[in-house]
Amino acid sequence: MYGKKELTQPERVLTTTVRITGAKLKRLPVRTEKPIPKALIKEAMTAINATAAKAPVSMGDVILCDLLGTGVNVIASRNMLP
């Protein structure tokens, strides 16, 4: 099953960081809730890099809704307090 899907429709969970204001650190680690098509990763990174969060943020908070119309949200991977 995995091998067949990997050949026909490869998908990946995207992990990266976004800018955050009002926190001690300047970047907030985020990830997609579910895998997205591998072909959309570059476009997804452009959309994510244009996003900024504001502290406080809790792990699991939605940072970007419906990434590129995929129905997949980008969520925070850690808590970030002011």
Side-chain angles (χ1 to χ4, degrees), residues 4-79:
K4 190 179 226 182
K5 187 170 184 174
E6 181 63 21
L7 289 174
T8 59
Q9 293 179 311
E11 294 182 319
R12 300 287 185 273
V13 171
L14 180 59
T15 59
T16 187
T17 60
V18 296
R19 288 172 294 147
I20 186 165
T21 58
K24 291 181 182 180
L25 301 176
K26 305 241 184 249
R27 305 293 290 181
L28 171 70
V30 296
R31 66 177 177 85
T32 54
E33 285 182 313
K34 300 175 190 171
I36 61 170
K38 192 175 176 183
L40 293 178
I41 288 184
K42 286 184 182 180
E43 194 176 343
M45 283 302 299
T46 301
I48 292 169
N49 285 335
T51 303
K54 185 175 179 183
V57 174
S58 297
M59 186 171 15
D61 284 356
V62 175
I63 304 301
L64 184 60
C65 294
D66 191 21
L67 179 63
L68 302 176
T70 60
V72 177
N73 296 324
V74 176
I75 60 171
S77 295
R78 70 170 284 183
N79 297 328

